[in-house]
């Protein structure tokens, strides 16, 4: 391989749909020196292969930011951002759900005649729908505007255009009922349509965020298998030190019931070790001098001394964690096809929605404007590409994390497929 070739991983924030991943990939591939860029939307990571003589991590981060997305400074910062996003989505779903329910009941006066008359008033429905549209739905407008500034369209564009059409039509019917009656149309409002759609999509994003969070928890639980301290044997005797202070060649002591701190070779003593964390086999394995022990496995009954051979990122547990994270960041072949489709999906859907509106407005039954608007909104909203673009990476991410908890390791998305 070329010596100047380097790989760098970035934690991406601000993405929301499959076309976002495509936008970030395009931005990275256009950066000087970049040879390959793969963005995993579910994991929120971009893996970039680049020429270190032409570009550096700062250049890659700048390319992502210029495309309208954020870059977290570290995995911990990305985790904090993801946790905050989940809490925000959960609060939005709760408040939005309550408002949308009231708006829905008030709008369906033919179905729910027992609803108070004031809740059936168009102005009251307008007042209730406005915070859902422009406060809870603000993230969609921001996402759509960010994409538009970079000459792109994404899922946020579909939601913003579709719900705004229903909302603005309803505002017009509320403020100018005489205009509609003059055209032979009984004024109707569809505030419930825009509010319910926004809440449902926020609910979907909340579930997706929770799935990602659970997978991150699986990785953290793997990391938690490692003991935090070790007993080192030195000239002055045995002493307990943080595991970070262990060096290759140190002689360590492990007592019954303790976890093996790092990978090594037994020097003295016989024991039985539970290696189910690595092998999945519940029966303990007998060990003696000259045999290897693996960090984070459980010593059952014997006490022994061993020499540290692999520490830190070189231990078997660290390699397992790295393998799981890399597997979550890879793309299955079918996902690459989904990404290609998703990149062209949103503009195509908008075009189809416009044609649908024109066809119903010209040839549909009366009231044509109402039917044209409703079908225009339906095409935009029902075409959500998130199922296609997110289902595969989210399934891979969750499956690899859950599998790792049970000792089942999957090398890549391609292997899983």
């Amino acid at each position: 391989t070329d010596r100047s070739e380097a790989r760098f991983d970035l934690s991406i924030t601000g993405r929301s749909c499959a076309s976002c991943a495509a936008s970030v990939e395009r931005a990275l591939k256009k950066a000087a020196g970049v040879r390959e860029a793969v963005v995993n939307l579910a994991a929120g990571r971009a893996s970039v292969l680049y020429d270190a003589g032409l570009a550096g991590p700062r250049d890659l981060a700048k390319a992502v930011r210029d495309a309208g997305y954020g870059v977290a400074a570290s995995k911990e910062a990305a985790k904090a951002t993801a946790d905050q996003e989940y809490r925000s989505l959960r609060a939005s779903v709760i408040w939005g759900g309550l408002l949308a329910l009231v708006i829905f009941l008030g709008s369906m006066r033919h179905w729910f005649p027992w609803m108070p008359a004031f809740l059936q008033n168009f102005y009251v429905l307008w007042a209730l729908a406005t915070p859902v549209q422009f406060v809870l739905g603000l993230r969609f407008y921001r996402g759509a505007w960010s994409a538009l500034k970079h000459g792109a369209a994404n899922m946020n564009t579909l939601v913003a255009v579709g719900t705004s059409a229903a909302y603005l039509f309803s505002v017009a019917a509320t403020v100018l009922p005489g205009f509609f009656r003059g055209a032979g149309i009984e004024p109707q409002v569809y505030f419930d349509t825009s509010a319910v759609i926004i809440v449902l999509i926020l609910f979907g994003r909340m579930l997706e965020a929770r799935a990602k969070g659970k997978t991150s928890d699986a990785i953290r639980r793997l990391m938690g298998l490692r003991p935090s301290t070790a007993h080192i044997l030195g000239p002055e005797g045995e002493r307990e030190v943080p595991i970070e202070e262990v060096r290759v060649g140190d002689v360590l002591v492990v007592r019954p019931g303790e976890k093996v701190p790092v990978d090594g070779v037994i020097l003295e003593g016989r024991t039985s070790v539970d290696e189910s964390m690595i092998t999945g086999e519940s029966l303990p394995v007998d060990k003696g001098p000259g045999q290897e022990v693996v960090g984070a496995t459980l010593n059952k009954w014997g006490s022994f001394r061993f020499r540290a051979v692999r520490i830190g990122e070189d231990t078997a547990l660290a390699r397992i964690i790295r393998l799981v994270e890399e597997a979550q960041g890879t793309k299955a072949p079918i996902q690459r096809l989904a990404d290609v489709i998703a990149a062209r999906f949103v503009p195509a859907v908008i075009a189809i929605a416009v044609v649908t509106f024109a066809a119903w407005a010209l040839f549909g039954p009366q009231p044509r404007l109402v039917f044209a608007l409703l079908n225009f909104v339906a095409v935009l909203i029902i075409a959500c590409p998130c199922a296609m673009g997110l289902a595969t990476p989210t399934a891979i991410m969750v499956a690899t994390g859950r599998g790792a908890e049970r000792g089942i390791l999957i090398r890549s998305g391609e292997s899983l497929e």
Side-chain angles (χ1 to χ4, degrees), residues 101-120:
L101 178 62
V102 175
I103 295 167
F104 177 79
L105 294 175
S107 300
M108 301 297 174
R109 55 185 180 276
H110 301 301
W111 291 4
F112 309 106
W114 45 266
M115 287 295 291
F118 79 93
L119 281 178
Q120 299 177 17

Side-chain angles (χ1 to χ4, degrees), residues 308-320:
V309 175
R310 288 184 294 274
I311 63 172
E313 292 299 309
D314 294 327
T315 64
L317 178 62
R319 294 203 304 271
I320 287 171

Side-chain angles (χ1 to χ4, degrees), residues 5-27:
E5 206 172 70
R7 185 171 290 277
F8 185 69
D9 290 341
L10 301 95
S11 294
I12 311 295
T13 60
R15 76 257 179 236
S16 60
C17 68
S19 52
C20 292
S23 298
V24 175
E25 278 188 7
R26 281 198 302 270

Side-chain angles (χ1 to χ4, degrees), residues 186-202:
E186 181 62 27
Q188 296 286 342
V189 295
Y190 298 94
F191 291 120
D192 57 315
T193 300
S194 59
V196 169
I197 285 169
I198 286 173
V199 171
L200 284 176
I201 292 175
L202 289 176

